[in-house]
Amino acid sequence: MTEPLRAVVSSMRDEGCDAKSFRLEWPEGARFDFRPGQFLLVGFPGEKKKNAYSIGSSPLETGYAEITVAPGTGISSRLFALNGGETLEIEGPRGTFTYDDGHRSAVLVSEGVGITPFRS
């Protein structure tokens, strides 16, 4: 993807005691293909700074992607202050640490929000 995609925060939900998941919906007709394990660069319109967040939704679900964010500073803290309906700029998908269906078995280990690419 060469140009950032504008996505709307359509919903948010608490995940445990200290993380939130955000559903980012694409504009109608936008195509966004990704593989499990990839990530997005997420930022606010008109700003250069973007943070990387793993995609936690399935690539089989179209029209949106979900990210899970732990509390932090900068963009993460600003995401926690959202109410829904805001527009964000998305770049990606990025990353090559993806699952290959050709493997007969796999061992996956994670903790905290590190589980999000495994959910995908």
Side-chain angles (χ1 to χ4, degrees), residues 32-71:
F32 188 84
D33 297 320
F34 65 92
R35 297 184 62 199
Q38 289 189 301
F39 65 92
L40 302 173
L41 294 177
V42 178
F44 289 87
E47 299 179 14
K48 290 185 178 190
K49 174 77 173 143
K50 291 185 174 48
N51 278 14
Y53 299 101
S54 295
I55 302 170
S57 52
S58 169
L60 301 176
E61 301 167 325
T62 60
Y64 69 90
E66 289 186 349
I67 59 171
T68 301
V69 179

Side-chain angles (χ1 to χ4, degrees), residues 52-103:
Y53 299 101
S54 295
I55 302 170
S57 52
S58 169
L60 301 176
E61 301 167 325
T62 60
Y64 69 90
E66 289 186 349
I67 59 171
T68 301
V69 179
T73 59
I75 290 175
S76 293
S77 67
R78 291 175 65 192
L79 289 173
F80 266 71
L82 299 180
N83 295 310
E86 294 87 354
T87 299
L88 299 173
E89 280 190 357
I90 308 300
E91 292 181 20
R94 303 240 172 113
T96 58
F97 185 65
T98 58
Y99 179 72
D100 179 357
D101 288 333
H103 296 317

Side-chain angles (χ1 to χ4, degrees), residues 9-26:
V9 179
S10 64
S11 66
M12 301 171 291
R13 69 178 178 276
D14 291 332
E15 301 285 0
C17 60
D18 65 350
K20 281 189 179 183
S21 287
F22 297 83
R23 180 172 286 196
L24 309 175
E25 291 199 16
W26 317 130

